[in-house]
Amino acid sequence: MPIRALTGNEAMAEAMRQINPDVVAAYPITPATEIVQLFASFVADGCVDTEFVTVESEHSAIAACIGASGAGARVMTSTSSQGLALMHELLYVAAGLRAPIVICEVNRTLSSPINIHCDHSDTMGSREAGWIQIFAEDAQEAYDLTLQAIKISEEVLLPIMISTDAFIISHCMQRVDMLEDSEVQKFIGPYKAAYSLFDKTITIGPLDLQDYYFEHKRQEIEAMWKTAPVIEKVAQEFASKFGRSYGLFEAYKTEDAEQVIVACGSTCGTTRVVIDNLREKGIKIGLLKLYAMRPFPHQKLKEVLSKAKLITVLDRSVSMSTMGGPVYIELRSALYDAPKHPLLVDYIYGLGGRDIDMDQITDIALKGEQIIKDNKVEKPVQYVGLRE
Amino acid sequence: MPSLKELSKNADLFTGGHRACSGCAGPIVIKQVLSVAGPQTIASLSTGCMEVVSTIYPYTAWNIPYIHVAFETAASALSGVEAAYQVLRRKGKVKGKWNLIAFSGDGGTYDIGFQGLSGAVERGHDFLYVCYNNEAYMNTGIQRSSATPRGAHTTTSPAGTVIPGKKQFHKNLVEVIAAHGAPYVAQAIPSNWADFTRKVRKALDTEGPTVIDILAPCPLGWRYPSNKTIEVARLAVECKFWPLYEVENGKYKLNYRPRKEVPVEEWLRLQGRFAHLFTPENEHIIKEIQEGVDRRWESLLEKCG
Amino acid sequence: MALSSWKELPIGTIITEPGNAREFKTGDWRSQRPIWDSEKCIHCLFCFIYCPDSSIKVNEEGKMTGIDLDYCKGCGICAEECPKEAIHMEIEKR
């Protein structure tokens, strides 16, 4: 299998090339632009059969994707930040129409103030749109998860976004084990649309009023319920074929851990090193890396996390509920009816691309040890790396 | 030119049982388009009157494949359908020739969907875009759009005591699309079905993006009796407010020249939305409208050579 | 009519029965009824091409055969546009 040095963007673009979708409609935006421009070069060089629609906005990108999907095509696009926000209205439409569209997303913060760097505000801002949302930690994961996304999305008929962290993953070069083109095609299989304008005389997107809207929304919720086992099934198939493990989340040294740090995206790599260092000092600490934000794996997380004494959440975005970040809020809710409640503390970090380092995470972990000793959380929501 | 007998063969592609208002021109436009296009056609609708009245779940008046995504997406969603059509045809997964037609009101065309239409035309997708232009946001209850004519009363350009109706002249969509270099752009009217169906045929036979802007009178918004829809349409052409012309690869052609001079006042008088202009203090607006119509007509004649 | 449960409906709000709006009769909206005089009719089909409600029945030979009152909303365009006054409107009585 080919080994390449690739950035996160290159890894996603390569995955798209190997998937060879029927239609890609996309618009450039920092820091996801490279995905689009690399794919354009694949089209220009005849490496793919894709019809590439160079739309005039992200809104039209996702509209064209929905149209193409309705016409029976396998469809992908890529975006970030303001682009995802501009798509917002149509994200709901794609999910409601049950269009299995894949977005290669790069997590970048949202204006204002304008800023091109990493946080998870964009993705988290669309977490109720009906899309499956999966976070990648590095370029390898971005590549592997993009391939899995096709299968997951097409089985449950919900759209999906795989996201990487702006610049930290999107622009950093890493070793990526790629599959052969033929292996990718064999893994994803040929596409057969659930419905298509060219196959049957159907009406897509009618006006759905009081008599039926609720039932159709319920179907969508059911599809999301069915997605968690499909994510695991596809991950197992991927692992058995290619040896790399995925799923709803990764539990790292959590078995006997008194404190579990929960994070998603690139920060998990840094956190893992901190965990290893602290373990050497005899501290019982683990990491839970969240792949799936939607569906939120609340049932399984309850099993894994309720054994710990403290859950320390690292949130790279905020919720204006003033109750902490979205991961913290979800977890708190998930653990509410757990047989045993661990303590919970949330650290908001890295907004607008501010770096977080090992010292800061070590400090958070050690503060956690104190919380366990005191059996008390003084301040449930705190900020890391912020000038007070 | 096909006869009405031939056009009647495709009568059931858009069925009765839709909930358009009595006397609405929208369904007349759709029927005239589909009578030419036939069953091998996909329709892309923007949110608006025709979308709302024709597809109230679980019913659809469409006997052809249909997609609606959102208000501003008639062209952009159809771009995606067209891209899928191209690639799936190459792969042998779609057989035969299909007509791809967008239907959108003036709000979805002149205003909120304008960028999507401009982008799609520039990219050169092979489709026909039909704007059924009722000159305001009728679906939400008669609000002004950039297609609303000068002086008209709408609920957001009301005939007040200080401001008597819409202050601005309407945008000229055909000119704007023609400036994109689209291979075929035309202005049409449902009262002249022969001219319109010929234009639809021509547009469908043209490779690349084609756009037809067709005036679609609205009894409710324009305030005239429902039986006068065709007459109001006809008079819009006779008074030169709505000239019938086409632009083929940049070449202008006037398709109909009214035989006698009809002042625009006659057309305005038929419609309650202009009733407030017929007072001594607002008469100057009628004069202004006439001057605007004359100016545009002269400019059109110059372009037609 | 009992409405389907969410488990029974096709996914994605797709309507799979084309043209089933025919099942929805709009004729009861009508306050005026068109009356067709077949003697005066020259089968020009102007009424057909201008009818917003697909209510003008035309046979295979291209002859008008009547008005479909299931859908006719009584707008009166047909009567207005008929060159031979073969259609007139009367107050609907039910």
Side-chain angles (χ1 to χ4, degrees), chain C residues 31-60:
Chain C
S31 60
Q32 289 198 82
R33 172 190 286 250
I35 308 292
W36 174 55
D37 184 345
S38 60
E39 297 290 310
K40 289 187 187 167
C41 178
I42 56 166
H43 304 281
C44 64
L45 301 187
F46 286 178
C47 53
F48 159 78
I49 202 71
Y50 294 138
C51 174
D53 294 306
S54 305
S55 300
I56 304 298
K57 298 193 224 172
V58 179
N59 70 10
E60 290 280 304

Side-chain angles (χ1 to χ4, degrees), chain A residues 119-137:
Chain A
D119 69 38
H120 297 165
S121 308
D122 54 353
T123 313
M124 293 299 180
S126 55
R127 67 190 186 276
E128 307 303 7
W131 285 61
I132 303 164
Q133 294 184 316
I134 298 185
F135 285 80
E137 182 189 324

Side-chain angles (χ1 to χ4, degrees), chain A residues 22 51 89 203-205 207, chain B residues 55 57 60 66 68 72 91:
Chain A
D22 295 315
E51 194 70 20
E89 170 198 28
T203 287
I204 300 177
L207 178 63
Chain B
T55 63
Y57 192 90
T60 178
Y66 163 106
H68 156 252
E72 62 278 55
K91 291 182 175 179

Side-chain angles (χ1 to χ4, degrees), chain A residues 287-303:
Chain A
L287 164 71
L288 191 131
K289 176 172 78 178
L290 203 55
Y291 284 118
M293 181 65 194
R294 286 290 178 270
F296 194 76
H298 50 95
Q299 285 174 315
K300 295 239 161 144
L301 286 177
K302 203 153 44 184
E303 288 165 29

Side-chain angles (χ1 to χ4, degrees), chain A residues 36 56 59 98 157 324:
Chain A
V36 181
E56 81 299 330
H59 195 280
R98 309 293 297 278
L157 295 174

Side-chain angles (χ1 to χ4, degrees), chain A residues 343-375:
Chain A
L343 296 168
L344 259 113
V345 62
D346 190 24
Y347 292 90
I348 310 288
Y349 76 100
L351 300 191
R354 181 155 301 170
D355 203 10
I356 185 167
D357 60 23
M358 285 173 55
D359 288 347
Q360 286 169 316
I361 298 172
T362 304
D363 188 47
I364 288 168
L366 294 177
K367 275 184 186 154
E369 291 307 295
Q370 191 59 45
I371 291 171
I372 292 171
K373 265 186 208 143
D374 300 344
N375 195 29

Side-chain angles (χ1 to χ4, degrees), chain B:
Chain B
M1 189 184 79
S3 66
L4 283 177
K5 182 182 162 184
E6 285 165 61
L7 294 178
S8 72
K9 303 281 184 240
N10 289 323
D12 65 341
L13 296 180
F14 187 79
T15 70
H18 62 73
R19 310 324 152 81
C21 304
S22 182
C24 173
I28 304 173
V29 169
I30 293 173
K31 184 169 73 179
Q32 292 186 3
V33 171
L34 296 186
S35 69
V36 180
Q40 195 87 342
T41 299
I42 291 174
S44 166
L45 273 275
S46 67
T47 308
C49 289
M50 288 304 101
E51 169 264 334
V52 164
V53 302
S54 67
T55 63
I56 301 182
Y57 192 90
Y59 300 111
T60 178
W62 298 84
N63 238 327
I64 55 168
Y66 163 106
I67 185 166
H68 156 252
V69 174
F71 196 175
E72 62 278 55
T73 60
S76 50
L78 197 57
S79 298
V81 173
E82 195 260 1
Y85 175 52
Q86 299 296 350
V87 64
L88 296 178
R89 210 160 46 155
R90 280 203 300 274
K91 291 182 175 179
K93 291 181 183 173
V94 167
K95 306 256 188 283
K97 166 142 174 56
W98 285 79
N99 300 310
L100 308 179
I101 305 179
F103 291 96
S104 178
D106 50 294
T109 305
Y110 283 58
D111 291 351
I112 196 168
F114 185 64
Q115 173 183 323
L117 173 60
S118 172
V121 171
E122 184 272 335
R123 291 190 298 273
H125 295 280
D126 190 10
F127 64 54
L128 164 61
Y129 188 104
V130 177
C131 173
Y132 62 94
N133 179 355
N134 52 27
E135 298 191 324
Y137 292 87
M138 297 312 184
N139 190 39
T140 44
I142 318 163
Q143 290 79 36
R144 62 91 86 190
S145 75
S146 58
T148 304
R150 167 86 175 106
H153 164 94
T154 71
T155 57
T156 52
S157 63
T161 50
V162 180
I163 307 170
K166 196 189 175 216
K167 292 201 234 175
Q168 304 83 1
F169 281 87
H170 60 282
K171 197 191 272 180
N172 189 325
L173 185 81
V174 169
E175 294 290 309
V176 177
I177 301 299
H180 282 66
Y184 185 75
V185 198
Q187 202 160 273
I189 196 85
S191 53
N192 194 337
W193 59 270
D195 176 72
F196 181 41
T197 53
R198 179 189 64 78
K199 284 171 174 166
V200 171
R201 182 73 270 157
K202 198 164 187 177
L204 293 175
D205 289 343
T206 301
E207 211 173 306
T210 55
V211 176
I212 301 177
D213 189 0
I214 177 160
L215 199 67
C218 167
L220 204 69
W222 295 16
R223 298 199 197 164
Y224 63 82
S226 63
N227 62 336
K228 298 287 184 190
T229 291
I230 298 301
E231 192 183 327
V232 167
R234 196 176 286 126
L235 207 60
V237 176
E238 294 299 329
C239 76
K240 299 171 184 159
F241 170 83
W242 194 256
L244 302 182
Y245 69 108
E246 60 197 341
V247 188
E248 204 177 346
N249 293 314
K251 204 164 171 274
Y252 281 70
K253 188 177 172 193
L254 188 70
N255 304 117
Y256 174 80
R257 187 185 285 269
R259 281 179 192 86
K260 57 177 183 135
E261 285 298 320
V262 177
V264 75
E265 191 181 322
E266 280 189 33
W267 181 64
L268 303 179
R269 200 183 288 278
L270 285 180
Q271 308 166 56
R273 62 175 171 160
F274 297 112
H276 58 285
L277 301 183
F278 292 88
T279 57
E281 62 272 25
N282 289 339
E283 266 174 359
H284 67 280
I285 298 173
I286 296 180
K287 198 167 157 259
E288 231 183 272
I289 295 170
Q290 184 66 61
E291 283 164 6
V293 165
D294 292 344
R295 199 166 52 239
R296 288 189 184 199
W297 175 259
E298 288 307 320
S299 152
L300 176 63
L301 288 186
E302 262 177 46
K303 285 176 182 142
C304 292

